[in-house]
Amino acid sequence: MNWDPLILTFELALTTTLVLLLVSIPLAYWLSKTRSGLKPFLETLVSMPLVLPPTVLGFYFLLAFSPNNAFGAWIDEWLGIRLVFSFGGLVLASVVYSLPFMVQPIQTGLSSLPPSLSEAAATMGKSASTQLFKILLPNIRKSLLTGIVLSFAHTVGEFGVVLMIGGNIPGKTRVASIAIYDEVEALNYAAANSYSLILFALTFVLLLSVYLINGGYVNRFWK
Amino acid sequence: MIEIRVRKILEARGGDFTLDVDLELQEGEFITLYGPSGSGKTSLLRSLAGLLTPDKGRISKGGKVWFDSKERVHMPPQKRNVGYVFQENALFPNMTVRGNLQFAQKKGAPPGLIEELIVDMDLHDLQDRYPDTLSGGQKQRASLARALAQQPDILLLDEPLAALDGVMRLKLQEYILSSHRKFKLTTLMVSHDLAEIIKLSDTTILLDKGRISKMGTPQQVFMGNKLSGKFQFTGTLLELEVQSVITVASVLIGNQIVKVAAHPTEVEGLSPGDKVVVASKAFNPVIYKIEEK
């Protein structure tokens, strides 16, 4: 069996999750605190990937990043990055595609904390970033875990966006979900089955671990 | 001297009202705020701490301007050095009691301060526990200790004892009063308990619908100057029982029910639930031993 698609899938999911964590914490923090009129619009944009067909997202990415296009040509020329049919493009598209899975749990977690926690820290002279890292985030560990695991699993499972913007280049953009489609088309059911089984087992274990940890089963077992 | 001149429109369930307060506080005093709920007591504390921005006004302490709407000055809470004990205690759930105290401590604080507070507040056995495992009174003790660990100039207490039973309440009142004296604080406390106010405060402010309706010593505020009695206790009237020529009033004072015989004219206009003062003009006080030394 060719392991490349699986390895690529995990590289993509891992990179996407890390980037998402860096992007989503400040974004969710801002959303949980702001009273700006922009908030509903931003929340809508963040949630769009939940309902939009992935092909729509992929289609617009393809148009935007194409070197035949002003924007695509500009990043190609000035940054030397080609986002179409490349790993970088896949990461960017996956980050947008899985954004709600990371932002929403963190935002809900932050909003559920009483405001007096940050206020108490503020009267103690602590800055907003100290409040965030020492008080707020440590108290929403469950939400962070949910966000991390859901975005990882969701990226593993993506198909439409990747196919649109990444295509099917072996070792470069052919992730497991596309490899399965490919093998089925070639009537190679055994290979398709092994990829599928691995993905099935992996996502099951990932989600189960979230429920076990957040449900307190693991803590009870250790105590 | 702390000067507070604050105007702020507040949203309340019964309709909006304006917090409109103009007062001067002496540093080192113990001040209590009393008034019906929704009269702006908490908003006044929050304005002082910098957690709420008034619409108009000026707040200054010792000549230093904390807030001035005309000059567009708003010193953030981080710089005001105010200790705030929240009604719901606001202990950080991810830290132990000792961790909470350490977090609040400023750089360059005297090395033994935390140990001292842990001893003062009886927290020795609780210092390694997390807030979720503490009772209400223990949480408020830890919360008070945490506010003191930051060595504030002003201590703000927002009904810290509201949820506690009688005995724990009395004990915490002692902690608050002794810390106020020991650390030479200016303390502002919201309270609904008359006995507590009379016991603790130098000055009481009566707040009603955002305005100060009375301010002075607790005696001036709550009793006028009608009494010259030497013994006075505040309590709640439980019941009035008419017995031939006299009426017996049962009054709850602290944890005790006291029966007071009174002439029917004296108790006219009183009804159960009223806060009352029981006073005796000490012509002939009785004194007797209750416990051998």
Side-chain angles (χ1 to χ4, degrees), chain A residues 113-131 133-141, chain B residues 46 49 51 77-79 81-84 86 88-95 100 102-106 146-147 150:
Chain A
L113 292 176
S116 56
L117 291 184
S118 326
E119 288 173 352
T123 60
M124 290 165 196
K126 309 296 177 187
S127 67
S129 66
T130 308
Q131 291 167 30
F133 288 105
K134 293 279 171 69
I135 308 291
L136 302 180
L137 293 181
N139 284 313
I140 57 157
R141 276 184 227 131
Chain B
R46 291 173 63 82
L51 299 171
Q78 280 90 340
K79 293 193 175 157
N81 199 24
V82 161
Y84 202 120
F86 292 82
E88 69 278 11
N89 77 66
L91 290 167
F92 306 130
N94 58 318
M95 299 176 190
N100 267 278
Q102 281 166 338
F103 183 81
Q105 203 173 29
K106 293 197 168 62
R146 186 180 69 173
Q150 70 182 91

Side-chain angles (χ1 to χ4, degrees), chain A residues 23 45 48 50 58-59 67 70 77 83 87-89 103 127 132 134 138 143 185-187 192-193:
Chain A
V23 174
L45 279 177
M48 285 285 275
L50 287 176
F59 174 64
E77 218 168 285
L83 289 174
F87 185 73
V103 172
S127 67
L132 180 64
K134 293 279 171 69
S143 311
E185 271 208 318
L187 297 178
N193 187 33

